[in-house]
Amino acid sequence: MLLHRYIPLLLPAACPLLLAAQTFTGNGANIPDDGTALEIPLAVTGLSDLDTVGFGLEQVCITIDHSWVSDLEVKLVAPDGTAVLLVSGQGGDSDHFTGTCFRGDAGTPITQGTPPYSGTFRALGDLGTINNGQSGNGTWTLYVMDNYPFADAGAVASWSITFGSDPATPFTLGSSALPIVVINTNGQPIPDEVKITAHMGVVDNGPGNLNHPQDPFNGYNGDIGIEMRGNSSLWMSPKKSYTVELRTGSGLDLEVPLLGMPAESDWVLQANYFDKSLMNNTLTHHLFRAMGHYAPRQRYVEVVLNGTYVGIYVLTEKIKRGADRVNIAKLQPDETFGDDLTGGYILSVERDEGNGFISEHPPMASPYGQYVFLEYRYPKPDNIVPDQEAYIQGFIGAFEDALAGPAFQDSTTGYRAYIDVPSFIDLFLINELSRNVDGYRLSTFLYKDKDSNGGSLHAGPVWDYDIAWGNADYCQGSDIAGWAYMFSDICPDHSNQMPFWWHRLLEDSAFVDAVRCRWDELRDGILSPAHVATFADSVATLLQGAQERNFTVWPILGQYVWPNPSPIPATYAGEVQELNDFMEDRWAWLDANLPGDPSCATSTGLHTISTVVEAPFPNPFGTIAYFRTVSGSPVMVRLLDPLGRVVASAGPFMGKGAMHHLAVPQELAPGTYLLEATDRDGNRSSFRLQH
C-alpha cells in the first residue's frame, strides 16, 4: 500500500531538486515453523532510479512477534535480486522486534541492541548496496527464515521501506595488503546444499604490494560452484562460510594452485565469525603441521560478494584425498577385493546428518540412547559401493572390538594392530591443549590407506577449532583446568557424545607414557606458549588493517556472540591477548597434570622420535642453514614461515651423516621459522629456527 505518493516540488531554478521521502508498507504474515522461508512481496511504483547521492533506500522497519528472536534471519531483497541481511542470530531467547528500524547511518549496530530492539539500528548487512543504480520500481521482498524450526512460532506484524534524498551509502573496500577475493553470483542466492555457478576473481599483487578490488584478477579468474557450509555456523552466523569448487566453462572440476597452495579444485572460505581472534583454526592447523602431519593450508583474504564487502575470510584447503592433501590411495568403484579394497578411506565423527554408519559400541555417555556416527568423506557417499562400505565398517568394528576387549593392550591382537598410535597421541595433545569442546566427537577426521601402504587408521587432519582455545561458554569449554576428553562426565545429556576410544586408550599405561614423552618432546618448542605467541602476534600484524574493516562491517567486538565466554574483550588486541593468556595457562596446567612416566623408554613401542636430520645451525640463521642427514634414505627439506607457508625447499639430500645446506631468500623477514625434513620412509624431523 502506498502511503505517500510522490509530489514534485516546484523550486527556483537555482535550487537543487529535492525528492520527498516515500514509505511503502507491506503485509504481515505468519512465519513458517517447518524449515521453509516466509517471503512477503511488496509492489513499488513511481520511484526514480536508486543511487547513493540524490535518491535511494533510506530505511527498513519491521515489527515481528516471536519468542526466541535469535532463531530468525531477516533479509530485504530488492527487485534486481540484491539481498541485504537485516538481522540474524541476535537476541537469544528474548521476545520480539517492535518498531525496529534499520538505517545505514545509524550509530548503534543491531549487535549492540537488546530485544525488542525498539529504535533505529545499523543492519548486519549493508543497505547501501541496494542503491546501485537499479530502478526502485518492482517487487521488493521481506525474507524471514526461522532457522530453528518446530520450536517457537511467530509472525510478521508489519514492515515498511522508505526512500528519499538521504540514501544509504555502502562501505567500500579501497585496498588491502591481503589478497582480495571477488565473487559475483549474478543475482542468485547462495544455497546451503546444491552449488550454484558463479564467477570468482582473485587479486594478489604479491608481498609488499597493495591489492584493489578493481585490479586485474591475476590469482584466479573463472567460474566456480559455491554453496554455504557449516552446521551451527550455518544458521547461527550471519557471516556465512562457503564451499567453493573451481570449474571450467563447461562445469568440470578445474585444479588451480590458489595463492601459492598446491593445485586443487575444492576449497573452503571460512568466516570465523564466532572466533574474534580470527586465528583459532589457522593456529591449530599450523601446530598440527609442525607436529609432522598434514593439515589444511590456508591464506587470509578479504572478500567482496556481489559488490558488498563481507570481511576477512580464510581461504582453506578442503579435506580430501590427493597427493598434496590426505595422501592415500585412490579407491575406484570397481576395487572390491584384495589389497585394493583396503584403502583409501576418509571418515569423520559427526552429527548424524550425512551418509555413513553408526558405531556398534555406545559412546561414553548415552542416557538418552546417544550413539556415535561416522560419516563417509572419501569415497563420497555417491561413489562408495556396498563392498567398500562393508569393508570399512568391518574394519572400524574390528578396531573397536579389539580396543574394548580384555586383550586390548596386546601388541599383536589389540588396538595397535589397527591404528597409527602416534597420530592418535598428537590429536589427543592438540585437543587437550586447545581444550576443544567439540574435540573427539565432532569434525574428528580419520583416514586409512591400503594395507600395502601401511593400512593403519590415522587420526586427523584437524578441522573446526573456532570454538576451541577457551572460546566456549558451555560444558567447561573455557576452563583452564580439566580434560576435554572427559566431556561425557561434564555434559552427559548432550546429543553428540564421544566414542569410548579415548578413555580406553588412556587405560593403557604404555599409551599414557607415550603421550607424556611426546609432550616432553614438544612442550618447549612447537607447543610452547612462546611459539604460539609468536604465531599469534605475526597473524595480528598481518591482519592489522583488515581486522579494522572486518569489525566495521561486523561490529561484534565487545559483544556476546555464541558461545563467547565472559569477560569479552572490547578490542581486537584484547582478543589476541586472551588467546595468548589462555594458551599460557592451559599449557601450565597440562604440563603439571599429564600423567605418565617421562623417562620415555623405547619399550613402549608406541612413539619413536623421528630422527631424519640433526639440528640445523647456526640458530639464528642467516641466508643459509646447515644440517647433517641422519636417515639413510633420501631427505626433502622445507622451511615454513609462521603462517605455514613454504618459503624455501630443497632436496633430495643423500648420504647418511653427510653435511648439506638450505639457501633461503635474502628478503626473508625476521621471525620464527620451522625447518621440516622428511625421508622417503615417511620419518620426519622438525626444528624451530630464528631468523
Side-chain angles (χ1 to χ4, degrees):
M1 180 175 65
L2 180 64
L3 292 186
H4 302 289
R5 294 188 179 276
Y6 166 63
I7 303 176
L9 300 177
L10 299 179
L11 301 173
C15 296
L17 183 64
L18 299 178
L19 300 179
Q22 300 173 74
T23 298
F24 299 81
T25 301
N27 296 322
N30 290 327
I31 301 169
D33 196 32
D34 59 1
T36 61
L38 170 65
E39 299 185 30
I40 308 177
L42 174 60
V44 171
T45 60
L47 295 184
S48 304
D49 291 345
L50 308 181
D51 59 41
T52 60
V53 179
F55 184 81
L57 177 71
E58 288 186 347
Q59 180 172 278
V60 184
C61 297
I62 59 173
T63 293
I64 298 177
D65 297 323
H66 197 279
S67 58
W68 199 299
V69 292
S70 66
D71 291 353
L72 298 182
E73 177 179 306
V74 185
K75 293 188 288 189
L76 177 68
V77 184
D80 73 343
T82 301
V84 173
L85 181 65
L86 302 178
V87 62
S88 176
Q90 303 297 313
D93 62 351
S94 298
D95 301 345
H96 312 321
F97 295 95
T98 304
T100 309
C101 293
F102 300 94
R103 291 184 61 92
D105 57 1
T108 303
I110 190 67
T111 56
Q112 296 177 15
T114 55
Y117 297 105
S118 298
T120 303
F121 302 90
R122 194 162 76 249
L124 283 174
D126 192 340
L127 288 177
T129 59
I130 283 179
N131 296 322
N132 56 9
Q134 67 174 299
S135 171
N137 301 314
T139 300
W140 294 74
T141 303
L142 186 72
Y143 170 102
V144 183
M145 170 67 85
D146 188 329
N147 283 312
Y148 199 88
F150 311 108
D152 304 273
V156 175
S158 64
W159 66 287
S160 65
I161 46 180
T162 299
F163 305 86
S165 58
D166 189 17
T169 302
F171 180 92
T172 58
L173 172 61
S175 63
S176 176
L178 301 178
I180 297 174
V181 174
V182 180
I183 297 174
N184 185 356
T185 67
N186 300 307
Q188 305 171 90
I190 300 176
D192 61 0
E193 289 184 0
V194 181
K195 296 183 181 72
I196 61 167
T197 299
H199 180 273
M200 184 174 82
V202 177
V203 179
D204 180 21
N205 294 324
N209 298 311
L210 290 178
N211 305 297
H212 308 82
Q214 65 272 20
D215 288 346
F217 296 145
N218 51 15
Y220 181 78
N221 185 10
D223 286 347
I224 60 170
I226 186 170
E227 65 184 356
M228 290 191 291
R229 68 172 289 118
N231 293 304
S232 57
S233 60
L234 178 61
W235 64 268
M236 292 179 63
S237 169
K239 184 185 181 186
K240 307 301 184 185
S241 293
Y242 303 102
T243 298
V244 172
E245 177 185 81
L246 308 185
R247 292 177 174 176
T248 66
S250 57
L252 300 176
D253 286 3
L254 178 64
E255 295 189 352
V256 173
L258 292 183
L259 300 177
M261 294 179 281
E264 250 295 352
S265 59
D266 293 313
W267 305 84
V268 174
L269 281 167
Q270 291 181 315
N272 295 321
Y273 184 75
F274 306 125
D275 167 26
K276 297 173 199 166
S277 77
L278 305 171
M279 63 179 77
N280 284 357
N281 280 315
T282 54
L283 168 62
T284 309
H285 294 173
H286 166 72
L287 294 179
F288 205 60
R289 276 195 302 273
M291 294 167 80
H293 308 279
Y294 167 75
R297 304 169 186 87
Q298 63 277 309
R299 289 287 305 275
Y300 284 97
V301 298
E302 293 193 80
V303 176
V304 177
L305 175 61
N306 293 325
T308 300
Y309 173 74
V310 290
I312 293 176
Y313 277 73
V314 182
L315 180 66
T316 307
E317 292 179 329
K318 183 180 179 181
I319 294 177
K320 63 180 293 187
R321 191 212 70 83
D324 293 305
R325 296 197 180 177
V326 180
N327 190 11
I328 56 176
K330 191 172 185 178
L331 184 60
Q332 302 287 3
D334 62 352
E335 294 182 310
T336 57
F337 59 90
D339 183 59
D340 286 342
L341 178 61
T342 64
Y345 296 91
I346 303 176
L347 304 169
S348 63
V349 180
E350 297 287 357
R351 299 172 177 87
D352 188 357
E353 297 175 350
N355 292 289
F357 60 96
I358 295 172
S359 167
E360 295 181 359
H361 290 258
M364 285 306 299
S366 55
Y368 304 109
Q370 296 103 310
Y371 52 84
V372 174
F373 183 78
L374 291 101
E375 184 174 338
Y376 298 127
R377 295 296 187 139
Y378 179 83
K380 294 180 180 179
D382 292 341
N383 297 328
I384 194 169
V385 300
D387 285 344
Q388 294 164 353
E389 290 188 72
Y391 171 80
I392 193 60
Q393 290 184 34
F395 182 89
I396 295 296
F399 154 59
E400 292 188 317
D401 289 346
L403 185 61
F408 77 106
Q409 297 176 342
D410 188 279
S411 60
T412 303
T413 62
Y415 70 88
R416 294 182 184 85
Y418 297 92
I419 70 171
D420 176 75
V421 178
S423 68
F424 276 72
I425 290 172
D426 283 358
L427 186 66
F428 175 82
L429 286 176
I430 205 73
N431 275 336
E432 293 302 331
L433 183 60
S434 66
R435 188 63 195 261
N436 184 12
V437 74
D438 283 348
Y440 313 106
R441 61 190 189 89
L442 293 170
S443 299
T444 297
F445 280 78
L446 308 156
Y447 67 90
K448 181 190 183 301
D449 208 343
K450 292 183 185 298
D451 285 352
S452 57
N453 294 333
S456 296
L457 184 70
H458 285 70
V462 292
W463 188 258
D464 197 11
Y465 282 70
D466 56 337
I467 60 172
W469 301 101
N471 190 31
D473 63 357
Y474 66 96
C475 296
Q476 299 181 14
S478 63
D479 286 7
I480 297 301
W483 299 100
Y485 84 91
M486 300 294 288
F487 183 87
S488 57
D489 292 344
I490 301 167
C491 287
D493 294 342
H494 198 285
S495 56
N496 299 109
Q497 291 292 323
M498 289 176 49
F500 77 95
W501 310 343
W502 306 94
H503 287 72
R504 185 63 163 165
L505 288 171
L506 289 162
E507 293 177 14
D508 181 5
S509 60
F511 184 89
V512 173
D513 289 347
V515 169
R516 182 73 212 195
C517 290
R518 179 62 163 165
W519 171 257
D520 288 345
E521 176 191 350
L522 302 176
R523 63 185 292 280
D524 295 324
I526 292 167
L527 298 185
S528 69
H531 180 76
V532 170
T534 297
F535 177 87
D537 292 346
S538 67
V539 172
T541 299
L542 175 70
L543 301 183
Q544 187 52 49
Q547 62 84 10
E548 294 176 2
R549 293 185 289 272
N550 181 83
F551 292 116
T552 296
V553 298
W554 303 107
I556 55 176
L557 287 175
Q559 306 300 313
Y560 177 77
V561 173
W562 179 92
N564 300 161
S566 296
I568 299 173
T571 65
Y572 181 67
E575 289 286 345
V576 177
Q577 187 60 50
E578 182 183 61
L579 171 61
N580 286 332
D581 291 345
F582 176 86
M583 165 61 187
E584 187 167 347
D585 292 342
R586 182 64 177 166
W587 181 95
W589 186 89
L590 206 61
D591 193 53
N593 288 275
L594 267 174
D597 180 0
S599 65
C600 300
T602 57
S603 60
T604 64
L606 293 180
H607 186 78
T608 302
I609 298 174
S610 173
T611 306
V612 180
V613 301
E614 292 180 352
F617 64 91
N619 189 10
F621 67 97
T623 58
I624 296 178
Y626 296 92
F627 56 90
R628 290 185 184 274
T629 48
V630 176
S631 173
S633 67
V635 173
M636 300 295 298
V637 174
R638 304 190 306 168
L639 188 69
L640 293 85
D641 70 7
L643 297 181
R645 296 174 295 193
V646 177
V647 296
S649 61
F653 297 106
M654 308 288 291
K656 191 170 183 178
M659 178 68 72
H660 306 281
H661 72 271
L662 175 68
V664 301
Q666 299 215 3
E667 66 275 12
L668 203 63
T672 301
Y673 291 81
L674 188 76
L675 187 137
E676 180 181 273
T678 308
D679 68 14
R680 185 175 57 191
D681 300 323
N683 299 313
R684 181 171 299 178
S685 291
S686 299
F687 302 92
R688 193 159 58 101
L689 302 176
Q690 299 296 324
H691 177 63

